[in-house]
Amino acid sequence: MRDILERESRRGQKKITDPVLLKKIIMFLADNIGSNISVSSIGNTLVNEGLLENGKRKGTPSVHTVQAYVNALLESYFFYDIKRFDIKGKEYLRTLGKYYIVDIGLRNYLLGFRDRDSGHAIENIVYFELIRRGYDVTIGKVGNFEVDFIATKADNKLYVQVTESMTSEDVRSRELAPLKKISDNYEKIVLSLNTGIDSSYDGIKSINLIDWLISE
């Protein structure tokens, strides 16, 4: 926080001056990695949940102010944002992107260790591994379904779903449905900690997450 505040001060922008608001936005984004987030809703959520009551700020911070604070976190590589891409329409969508924290260890420090959202934690890990492997990464939208990641590199493309386990029939149906809606022939995979019995479903590979992480 000190580094971000000092950096913005040196740049002379004077937009990032409230350490309480900065901390609360950090905590909010860390708590909601992998969730669809509208920047315009962050300020309202912080106020409605009473998270700014101990600060000096009066009223709800404006969307412009919240966006400036979020941009400072992105520019300092604390968080990364990912846009949504309409696979059929072949265009980027402006609404409801997601944010991932640069290191799950930092998130554990901020929020403590917990199991209730481990699915989002492993999704965070997969996102950064795809980035490390040189892919451009977006969220995929196909009709009313969402593909966790579309990873693109040169002429190669990879569609990725991430889940904790593929043993449940309901989970399998949920994770496979978006991939089955995609008509091209690029590789489609589901990464999980428990792949279940089958290694593929109609050409969609079910791969153990740990094996995938150490494969390159």
Side-chain angles (χ1 to χ4, degrees), residues 154-211:
D155 294 329
N156 184 34
K157 188 179 292 184
L158 177 67
Y159 298 103
V160 183
Q161 290 287 81
V162 183
T163 187
E164 288 188 78
S165 174
M166 284 284 281
T167 58
S168 164
E169 184 176 345
D170 289 341
V171 172
R172 286 198 301 272
S173 177
R174 183 190 69 213
E175 298 299 331
L176 294 171
L179 299 177
K180 289 180 178 180
K181 291 283 185 180
I182 302 171
S183 58
D184 65 39
N185 295 318
Y186 289 110
E187 186 176 9
K188 304 172 182 69
I189 65 174
V190 181
L191 299 175
S192 64
L193 295 173
N194 190 336
T195 60
I197 298 174
D198 297 319
S199 60
S200 67
Y201 302 86
D202 298 326
I204 300 170
K205 297 179 182 177
S206 179
I207 302 174
N208 180 273
L209 173 62
I210 305 302
D211 293 339

Side-chain angles (χ1 to χ4, degrees), residues 68-192:
Y69 279 63
V70 170
N71 287 345
L73 294 170
L74 297 176
E75 290 168 6
S76 63
Y77 304 106
F78 197 157
F79 290 91
Y80 286 62
D81 63 339
I82 178 172
K83 305 301 182 185
R84 301 172 77 221
F85 184 78
D86 188 332
I87 296 172
K88 290 187 175 180
K90 299 185 183 304
E91 63 180 355
Y92 286 97
L93 303 173
R94 294 183 179 181
T95 57
L96 296 178
K98 294 183 179 181
Y99 295 86
Y100 294 102
I101 193 167
V102 69
D103 192 318
I104 288 295
L106 287 174
R107 183 176 191 256
N108 292 337
Y109 168 76
L110 291 168
L111 304 177
F113 290 90
R114 53 192 187 178
D115 295 328
R116 66 177 174 83
D117 59 352
S118 54
H120 281 163
I122 63 175
E123 190 178 303
N124 197 110
I125 291 168
V126 169
Y127 169 74
F128 280 102
E129 179 60 18
L130 289 169
I131 295 294
R132 189 190 71 79
R133 295 184 184 187
Y135 287 100
D136 291 323
V137 186
T138 60
I139 306 163
K141 178 183 179 296
V142 51
N144 294 323
F145 294 96
E146 184 174 284
V147 179
D148 288 333
F149 301 118
I150 306 174
T152 308
K153 180 166 54 177
D155 294 329
N156 184 34
K157 188 179 292 184
L158 177 67
Y159 298 103
V160 183
Q161 290 287 81
V162 183
T163 187
E164 288 188 78
S165 174
M166 284 284 281
T167 58
S168 164
E169 184 176 345
D170 289 341
V171 172
R172 286 198 301 272
S173 177
R174 183 190 69 213
E175 298 299 331
L176 294 171
L179 299 177
K180 289 180 178 180
K181 291 283 185 180
I182 302 171
S183 58
D184 65 39
N185 295 318
Y186 289 110
E187 186 176 9
K188 304 172 182 69
I189 65 174
V190 181
L191 299 175
S192 64

